[in-house]
Amino acid sequence: MTNSVFRKDGTAQGVAKQRLMETLAKPVQRIIDDPYADRFVVGAGLIKLMGHKLSVWVTQQFSPGFHEHLIARTRFIDDLVRSSAVDGIEQYVILGAGYDLRAHRLDLPPAMKIFEVDQAEVQERKRTKLPKEIPNSDNVTYVSVDFNRQSISERLLAAGFDQTKSTIFTLEGVSQYITKEAVAETVKDMAALTPEVSSMFFISYVDERLNDDPKACFGQGYPNAVKRAETIKRLSAKVGEPWISFYTAEEMETLLNQSGFLLKENQSLADLNDVYFAPVGRALREDQIFNLEKFVIAKS
Ligand SMILES: C[S@@+](CC[C@H](N)C(=O)[O-])C[C@H]1O[C@@H](n2cnc3c(N)ncnc32)[C@H](O)[C@@H]1O
């Protein structure tokens, strides 16, 4: 690890920071609400002092649309998990959960069993920072796994995963950090875990064009798109978690199909800008669209 502040959780902290910034917005304008995010962010006090508008403005100077992209991703999955709960899905597996607090902040039904999967060190830190009293804590089981080296299904089964229950799996903001073999193996394993019941898989992935045609990953007129693409990759590597895997839309669909999942939706900030930000007066301009990550829902 390159930096003692970021002990394997640099990127998890980075996403929690954007959730904290969004939570500070006025309730009528915010897209998501994560009342626990501040616990996981170094410098949370300063961000709270700055407030929503100023902290988002500072982020925009570095990369327009970066904040909104992560918040759109969070909201998209929040909506999916909530609607899955309404549809009666019985289990929820959060792969690479990091500092995701959906288990506690979405008011999910007590009957839905939740498994959080991540590296042991990240989970240990998370558990020490969670409040003692937090909603739904009895329903959450922590399963520590290194995706690159260990079988998730074995660990899930040992932790009480029930193969007869309909399940939603989410792999949010992770596929770029692990090998393509590990992603394919994970999707295959999750399909094999639920052969007789319906399951859903959410996966986000970084567009392959970020490497060979970076401008295609941003809105028309986005400032310094090529340079920004390089900076984003460099910063991830700097906190010890480099982006190593990129996909085309066809490649991702094939990967899912090979495990029996059918792609239902493939969205990005360009699509969700109108859905989430425009209605609250926060629509981004075309030259602020940060479009390099795609959000996919697939069903078995
Ligand atoms: C960008 S964070 C995303 C966290 C969370 N899904 C979110 O969106 O807030 C990436 C997560 O993947 C986890 N991760 C990265 N490589 C991993 C591996 N080889 N095995 C298990 N988890 C891994 C990290 O620990 C981290 O929590």
Side-chain angles (χ1 to χ4, degrees):
M1 204 46 33
T2 54
N3 184 325
S4 61
V5 176
F6 298 113
R7 277 168 285 177
K8 289 201 174 184
D9 70 342
T11 57
Q13 275 195 46
V15 192
K17 180 177 164 188
Q18 302 306 316
R19 290 197 292 263
L20 167 61
M21 283 160 49
E22 186 64 21
T23 299
L24 296 173
K26 289 185 192 136
V28 289
Q29 281 201 314
R30 71 181 167 215
I31 309 302
I32 61 115
D33 181 20
D34 185 345
Y36 309 104
D38 60 342
R39 295 169 173 264
F40 302 97
V41 177
V42 172
L46 179 61
I47 293 170
K48 286 184 190 172
L49 266 180
M50 288 165 67
H52 169 76
K53 274 201 173 146
L54 181 57
S55 52
V56 171
W57 180 84
V58 170
T59 307
Q60 268 167 359
Q61 306 316 299
F62 156 67
S63 198
F66 174 77
H67 170 77
E68 289 79 3
H69 139 258
L70 283 176
I71 294 307
R73 185 178 86 188
T74 304
R75 170 65 183 273
F76 186 67
I77 305 171
D78 284 2
D79 288 351
L80 176 69
V81 173
R82 280 200 191 98
S83 65
S84 302
V86 170
D87 292 344
I89 291 233
E90 299 156 289
Q91 282 179 136
Y92 177 20
V93 179
I94 312 177
L95 298 159
Y99 299 143
D100 178 331
L101 269 295
R102 286 193 182 90
H104 308 288
R105 67 181 177 80
L106 289 190
D107 200 16
L108 296 171
M112 187 187 240
K113 208 161 177 217
I114 300 166
F115 297 87
E116 291 204 5
V117 180
D118 207 301
Q119 308 180 81
E121 298 92 325
V122 176
Q123 294 193 320
E124 272 161 36
R125 291 191 107 197
K126 182 174 189 175
R127 295 173 85 163
T128 59
K129 286 170 190 282
L130 281 177
K132 285 202 169 55
E133 299 290 325
I134 190 164
N136 213 20
S137 55
D138 289 348
N139 269 343
V140 183
T141 305
Y142 285 84
V143 183
S144 61
V145 173
D146 180 340
F147 293 141
N148 287 326
R149 297 204 189 97
Q150 290 168 306
S151 156
I152 305 174
S153 50
E154 272 173 29
R155 310 276 293 169
L156 276 172
L157 287 170
F161 181 91
D162 186 339
Q163 293 188 274
T164 66
K165 290 192 165 158
S166 55
T167 305
I168 175 165
F169 301 95
T170 58
L171 187 68
E172 175 189 13
V174 181
S175 70
Q176 58 269 48
Y177 300 104
I178 59 180
T179 62
K180 287 191 174 183
E181 292 73 25
V183 171
E185 201 60 32
T186 301
V187 175
K188 202 171 104 200
D189 271 13
M190 298 308 101
L193 261 184
T194 47
E196 307 290 341
V197 289
S198 67
S199 59
M200 297 185 67
F201 205 103
F202 168 90
I203 183 168
S204 61
Y205 69 90
V206 176
D207 194 322
E208 170 69 46
R209 291 175 297 178
L210 191 66
N211 293 321
D212 48 31
D213 182 14
K215 282 189 178 168
C217 296
F218 299 89
Q220 195 76 26
Y222 192 96
N224 302 319
V226 177
K227 212 169 132 199
R228 302 254 183 204
E230 286 312 311
T231 308
I232 290 158
K233 285 189 278 181
R234 200 179 61 243
L235 288 180
S236 275
K238 211 172 167 190
V239 296
E241 294 163 79
W243 289 5
I244 57 170
S245 299
F246 306 82
Y247 298 84
T248 64
E250 297 73 32
E251 197 180 359
M252 182 50 68
E253 186 163 9
T254 304
L255 185 154
L256 290 161
N257 287 166
Q258 279 166 350
S259 296
F261 284 107
L262 284 182
L263 191 143
K264 293 289 172 194
E265 286 188 47
N266 188 342
Q267 310 269 4
S268 64
L269 179 59
D271 312 298
L272 300 174
N273 187 28
D274 284 346
V275 182
Y276 298 144
F277 295 99
V280 294
R282 292 173 55 192
L284 296 173
R285 299 188 312 264
E286 174 67 22
D287 66 355
Q288 297 175 314
I289 294 291
F290 184 98
N291 224 18
L292 52 88
E293 195 179 27
K294 311 293 176 192
F295 315 140
V296 166
I297 299 175
K299 285 187 179 171
S300 67

